[in-house]
């Protein structure tokens, strides 16, 4: 699997994402935000952090950078994309995923490990899990409160596009949504950090199945 990890000023999880992808055998290239092309890759990963200092809105400036235009073209061609935390915010700001990420309900930054429910295993990202299983992943965000119009939420539910939900909905997300899929199921945005849970040395490997499942999906394609 060939993967590109986008890097913006303020990214702080780009190297973690690259380590996680390399751990499952991916050939990883780091791509700077001013680059107009990404290259021929299977997956584009948009990492967490505070791109451009979260000015205007989280992810709003990054969504208008040259590399994000290349990301759109990659997705339009049917390529896979994974956005984590700030990366999820970028994916909603580009319109590649529906909804928006608002300020946490308690108006505080939250950094902890939290239990999630796997809402669907029917995607390349979640195929390594069992639907209904509980996993634990780290979160670290101030604006992770997922919101969307009722019609969008109904569509996500009816099309089985909710990937993960919070067992403890600490940030107030509608329907406790922690991650959503695109209509073709090749784009995933999620607030929790699977790339921070891939090594036994950290005490948690629950994120590893996401990366392994994606590699397997691409190998079988």
């Amino acid at each position: 699997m060939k993967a590109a990890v986008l890097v913006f000023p303020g990214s702080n999880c780009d190297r973690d994402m690259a380590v996680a992808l390399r751990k499952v055998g991916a050939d990883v290239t780091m791509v700077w935000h001013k680059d107009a092309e990404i290259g021929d890759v299977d997956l584009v990963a948009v990492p967490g952090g505070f791109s451009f200092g979260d000015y205007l809105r989280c992810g709003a400036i990054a969504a208008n950078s040259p590399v994000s235009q290349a990301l759109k073209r990659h997705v339009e061609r049917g390529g896979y994309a994974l956005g984590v935390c700030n990366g999820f915010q970028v994916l909603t700001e580009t319109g590649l995923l529906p909804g928006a990420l608002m300020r946490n309900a308690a108006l505080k930054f939250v950094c902890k490990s939290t239990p999630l429910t796997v809402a669907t295993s029917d995607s390349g990202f979640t195929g390594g899990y069992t639907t209904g299983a509980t996993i634990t992943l780290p979160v670290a965000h101030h604006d992770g409160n997922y919101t969307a119009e009722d019609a969008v939420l109904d569509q996500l539910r009816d099309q089985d596009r909710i990937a993960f939900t919070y067992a403890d909905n600490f940030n107030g997300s509608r329907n406790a949504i922690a991650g959503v899929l695109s209509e073709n199921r090749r784009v995933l945005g999620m607030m929790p950090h699977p790339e921070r849970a891939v090594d036994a040395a950290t005490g948690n490997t629950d994120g590893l199945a996401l990366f392994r499942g994606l590699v397997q999906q691409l190998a079988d394609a």
Side-chain angles (χ1 to χ4, degrees):
M1 179 176 73
K2 292 184 178 180
V5 176
L6 306 189
V7 183
F8 300 97
S11 295
N12 65 10
C13 297
D14 46 332
R15 289 171 178 81
D16 292 343
M17 183 66 76
V19 167
L21 288 165
R22 287 174 178 137
K23 192 176 183 70
V24 295
D27 178 9
V28 180
T29 302
M30 311 299 282
V31 183
W32 185 234
H33 73 109
K34 289 187 177 181
D35 291 345
E37 297 296 335
I38 292 173
D40 183 17
V41 297
D42 303 298
L43 169 73
V44 177
V46 192
F50 304 90
S51 59
F52 296 95
D54 282 348
Y55 289 112
L56 299 182
R57 293 184 309 276
C58 299
I61 298 177
N64 289 280
S65 67
V67 79
S68 290
Q69 307 315 304
L71 167 63
K72 288 181 182 179
R73 294 193 294 272
H74 167 81
V75 170
E76 289 166 357
R77 292 193 297 266
Y80 284 80
L82 169 64
V84 173
C85 200
N86 186 232
F88 188 8
Q89 295 160 346
V90 172
L91 291 177
T92 60
E93 288 288 342
T94 58
L96 293 173
L97 287 175
L101 283 308
M102 307 294 288
R103 189 65 48 86
N104 292 345
L107 305 182
K108 293 181 179 179
F109 183 86
V110 178
C111 183
K112 65 177 184 176
S113 291
T114 192
L116 306 172
T117 301
V118 180
T120 182
S121 59
D122 184 19
S123 77
F125 302 96
T126 58
Y129 301 107
T130 301
T131 300
T134 298
I135 63 173
T136 299
L137 293 179
V139 293
H141 59 250
H142 196 256
D143 297 74
N145 182 347
Y146 182 80
T147 188
E149 296 180 353
D150 289 344
V152 172
L153 294 173
D154 290 343
Q155 186 178 57
L156 291 173
R157 180 199 62 218
D158 294 344
Q159 295 179 355
D160 191 33
R161 288 168 51 199
I162 300 172
F164 301 101
T165 58
Y166 297 107
D168 173 15
N169 190 12
F170 63 91
N171 62 18
S173 290
R174 296 199 66 185
N175 297 350
I177 289 173
V180 299
L181 294 157
S182 61
E183 288 191 39
N184 69 358
R185 315 186 81 77
R186 293 191 171 195
V187 180
L188 169 65
M190 59 187 296
M191 289 308 296
H193 288 269
E195 79 283 3
R196 296 186 182 180
V198 298
D199 195 316
T202 66
N204 184 358
T205 58
D206 284 0
L208 197 54
L210 185 147
F211 297 101
R212 283 177 173 164
L214 185 57
V215 168
Q216 187 61 49
Q217 172 86 1
L218 289 167
D220 293 342

